[in-house]
Amino acid sequence: MNQLSWRLVAAQMLVVIVGVVVLAVTANIIGATIFATDLHDLLGVTNSDIEAAMLASFRSAITKALLIAGSAAALVGLLTSILLLRQILRPLNEIARNSQRIADGHYDERVAVPSSDELAIVATSFNQMAASLAQVEQQRVAMIGNVAHELRTPLTGIEGYLEGLIDGVFPPEPETFGEMQHEVRRMRRIIDDLQALSHVEAGQVSLQISAVDLSSIAQRVVNQLRPQTIASSLELSLQPASSPLIVRADPDRLAQILLNLVGNAIRYTPEGGCITVRLSAQAELAQVEVIDSGIGISATDLPLLFERFYRVDRSRARSSGGSGIGLTIARHLAWAMGGELSARSPGLGQGSTFTLTLPLEGRRDEG
């Protein structure tokens, strides 16, 4: 900051000095020549003592005037530099101090937005960055708490079974060990989901992109999950597109996304409800809509739906083994394949629709 201060003052003084020098040279060369010519025409003599004395007096007066004007300009320039520096350095110093506090973990720091347009942009950007860091920190803390909570539940179950076996409350029978194995598998599923989430968020997921028949993948997913819908008295149907949909995607990852969407629809749709998987083409994109008549999503929950560990119905999701990060993984996979995953719902009790879009191979080639 001190270097910047001296540079601004030096630049202001340099402008004043250069201006005075240019004026002095101009006055002494061009001005004196014009004055001498006019004087010669007026007096009608050449190289007279009077003409020389008057020319010397003119140059002396010009020099004194320029020195006085230069000094006044330097003083004004110094004052304006100080005022300008205060306006510039004060918000910059505040940003520097708050940046250090944010680096120390105080993410609630903000700076005042000055009236200057340029500095206002810098201050606004700084506040936005601080808010984003605060949100990331909140998500990190929440994620640690959620992971601990998710792992504590199966661990508590395993611990209870072990204590029961040691105390003789539970007999060492296959059913007891089966329950323990179920809890271990639940922990492993959570850990696998966390590992998958870290990979997709870091952009380290391995994709085998190729031309894929979307209808074939959707039909396979529907057939795979149909037994669950029958057990839950749900109606699951597939509405194919009017023409083949060949998309650019990884077939395994695409199936993973659809399994998650249809599986969630089954989980959150009461008995007797219906689930529809509808395929269509929109411009250069293929579209898959998973429409259910389930519990719906409130306007408050909708923007948070794809955040890590967020659940619309926590008790139901936990009882059925959901980790709360399936939708987060699905959206990142869609992004990695050049697509998008979104959700909409009229409200609670009115069902919901999840829409997956992917680039069409055929349409892209034609373009």
Side-chain angles (χ1 to χ4, degrees):
M1 291 302 179
N2 291 332
Q3 292 180 356
L4 179 60
S5 302
W6 284 112
R7 288 177 183 177
L8 288 175
V9 173
Q12 194 85 328
M13 294 301 100
L14 181 61
V15 170
V16 173
I17 293 172
V18 170
V20 171
V21 170
V22 170
L23 286 174
V25 172
T26 303
N28 279 278
I29 295 177
I30 300 176
T33 302
I34 296 174
F35 179 78
T37 302
D38 293 342
L39 185 62
H40 171 72
D41 294 339
L42 179 64
L43 297 177
V45 292
T46 305
N47 296 326
S48 64
D49 294 339
I50 297 176
E51 181 180 351
M54 294 186 69
L55 184 59
S57 177
F58 171 79
R59 287 177 173 171
S60 176
I62 288 294
T63 301
K64 291 179 180 178
L66 288 175
L67 287 175
I68 294 173
S71 300
L75 180 60
V76 172
L78 182 61
L79 293 176
T80 56
S81 297
I82 294 174
L83 293 176
L84 182 62
L85 284 172
R86 291 183 62 183
Q87 290 182 350
I88 294 177
L89 296 184
R90 182 182 299 170
L92 291 180
N93 284 327
E94 185 181 2
I95 290 175
R97 288 193 302 268
N98 289 354
S99 296
Q100 185 59 50
R101 287 186 57 79
I102 288 177
D104 294 336
H106 302 281
Y107 298 104
D108 57 341
E109 294 294 331
R110 300 294 184 272
V111 297
V113 179
S115 58
S116 173
D117 291 340
E118 292 77 8
L119 291 176
I121 293 173
V122 174
T124 302
S125 299
F126 177 88
N127 290 337
Q128 291 174 348
M129 178 201 68
S132 298
L133 289 174
Q135 184 178 9
V136 169
E137 177 64 13
Q138 291 175 356
Q139 291 177 349
R140 184 188 69 84
V141 173
M143 183 175 180
I144 293 174
N146 286 325
V147 170
H149 183 79
E150 295 295 335
L151 293 178
R152 184 185 298 113
T153 302
L155 278 174
T156 301
I158 294 172
E159 183 180 19
Y161 282 115
L162 287 175
E163 290 178 353
L165 288 170
I166 293 173
D167 296 338
V169 177
F170 296 134
E173 296 178 349
E175 292 77 8
T176 303
F177 293 111
E179 292 295 332
M180 295 176 63
Q181 186 181 40
H182 173 75
E183 297 297 336
V184 170
R185 288 175 177 172
R186 184 175 174 183
M187 288 180 58
R188 183 173 183 176
R189 183 166 58 251
I190 294 172
I191 294 172
D192 289 343
D193 286 346
L194 288 171
Q195 186 176 27
L197 177 62
S198 67
H199 286 165
V200 297
E201 288 190 332
Q204 298 175 348
V205 61
S206 177
L207 295 176
Q208 303 296 326
I209 302 295
S210 61
V212 180
D213 184 355
L214 180 58
S215 301
S216 175
I217 299 293
Q219 185 65 64
R220 189 177 72 192
V221 169
V222 169
N223 292 339
Q224 181 177 345
L225 295 180
R226 193 177 297 280
Q228 296 183 26
T229 62
I230 295 175
S232 302
S233 301
L234 300 174
E235 180 183 347
L236 176 61
S237 62
L238 174 65
Q239 294 182 2
S242 57
S243 59
L245 298 179
I246 307 300
V247 297
R248 296 286 302 170
D250 182 315
D252 293 335
R253 299 299 186 180
L254 175 56
Q256 180 180 349
I257 296 173
L258 295 182
L259 282 169
N260 180 274
L261 297 181
V262 179
N264 279 345
I266 295 173
R267 184 177 297 118
Y268 291 104
T269 301
E271 291 187 3
C274 60
I275 301 167
T276 302
V277 180
R278 184 166 61 197
L279 309 181
S280 62
Q282 301 289 334
E284 296 183 355
L285 297 174
Q287 182 172 280
V288 184
E289 293 178 292
V290 179
I291 308 166
D292 65 66
S293 60
I295 63 174
I297 307 167
S298 68
T300 303
D301 290 323
L302 202 56
L304 307 173
L305 200 59
F306 294 96
E307 290 188 2
R308 296 184 292 255
F309 294 103
Y310 191 82
R311 292 190 180 94
V312 175
D313 186 344
R314 290 181 174 270
S315 60
R316 181 176 301 190
R318 182 168 291 112
S319 65
S320 58
S323 63
I325 58 178
L327 285 177
T328 308
I329 295 174
R331 171 172 267 188
H332 278 83
L333 289 175
W335 287 345
M337 293 187 291
E340 181 59 87
L341 179 60
S342 59
R344 65 181 187 273
S345 174
L348 293 176
Q350 303 181 59
S352 57
T353 300
F354 286 81
T355 303
L356 170 67
T357 57
L358 290 170
L360 274 168
E361 168 73 9
R363 298 292 179 86
R364 191 191 67 168
D365 292 342
E366 291 174 5

